[in-house]
Amino acid sequence: MQSWLQQLLDTHGYTAITLLTTLINAFPPLPAESTLPMLAHIMSSTDVTLVPAVVAATLGLVLGTLPLYLLGRWMDERQCMRFLARHGYWLALTPGDIERSGRRFRRHGYLVVLLGRLVPGMRSLVSIPAGFHRMPLMPYLLYTTLGSALWAGCLIGGSHWLLQHTSLSGSLWVVMIVLLAVVLLYVLRLWRHHRHADG
């Protein structure tokens, strides 16, 4: 597995960055910060440079919001709440998560879409209320892109710092440990969700 992952990250460079950041936004249980060692590894083992890497990460972050935005456009709020009550544990989401994001969106509108990209726990969730409230696609993409570019700068900047200040940034073992930690975190969130549901 290590050699396969090494080849994948080394070969695809910017595409790998876009795919990673798409995944973390499309699947809310994944913390965006978990990609830092992977991004640092890509930057250390390929010809990836800073500004194109930020562009690639921004593209991935924007693409990753679209499934949740379209879910909000397709379902109304009540339908989505019912869906999450039944199946939300697979995403580690509850109806309460969406309700809180919806309240923030109703109060602050487009500003939440812009700044929510920088706030852990809101980064993906704000896309669903934006769909509920029929935020037009072009303003949604504009504000999402601006906020995502700011966050991409943080991600890539953090990766660059790892690359410059640690001896582990180029080690694929670090990446594999992070992947394992993400899986364990997801399992923990599922367990906590089931425990609260049973209680």
Side-chain angles (χ1 to χ4, degrees), residues 148-168:
S148 296
L150 290 172
W151 182 238
C154 294
L155 278 179
I156 301 300
S159 303
H160 185 70
W161 184 91
L162 278 177
L163 184 60
Q164 296 297 317
H165 294 90
T166 72
S167 59
L168 297 176

Side-chain angles (χ1 to χ4, degrees), residues 51-143:
V51 173
V54 171
V55 173
T58 300
L59 176 62
L61 291 170
V62 172
L63 290 175
T65 71
L66 290 178
L68 297 175
Y69 171 79
L70 293 174
L71 176 67
R73 292 296 295 255
W74 177 53
M75 293 182 170
D76 62 31
E77 192 163 0
R78 261 182 275 177
Q79 288 175 316
C80 190
M81 295 291 188
R82 286 197 298 269
F83 174 81
L84 289 177
R86 292 180 181 176
H87 308 292
Y89 58 86
W90 294 111
L91 294 173
L93 291 178
T94 66
D97 295 327
I98 302 303
E99 188 178 359
R100 284 188 292 273
S101 294
R103 283 199 303 268
R104 293 186 184 108
F105 184 86
R106 285 190 290 272
R107 285 179 192 166
H108 306 292
Y110 291 5
L111 190 62
V112 171
V113 176
L114 173 63
L115 299 180
R117 303 297 164 200
L118 304 174
V119 180
M122 283 185 61
R123 195 169 299 116
S124 299
L125 296 184
V126 73
S127 301
I128 299 177
F132 287 155
H133 296 285
R134 298 296 188 266
M135 182 176 181
L137 180 60
M138 292 312 295
Y140 172 80
L141 288 175
L142 173 63
Y143 285 99

Side-chain angles (χ1 to χ4, degrees), residues 30-31 34 174-188:
L30 295 180
S34 66
V174 178
V175 174
M176 295 179 73
I177 290 169
V178 169
L179 287 175
L180 178 61
V182 168
V183 171
L184 292 175
L185 179 63
Y186 174 61
V187 171
L188 176 63

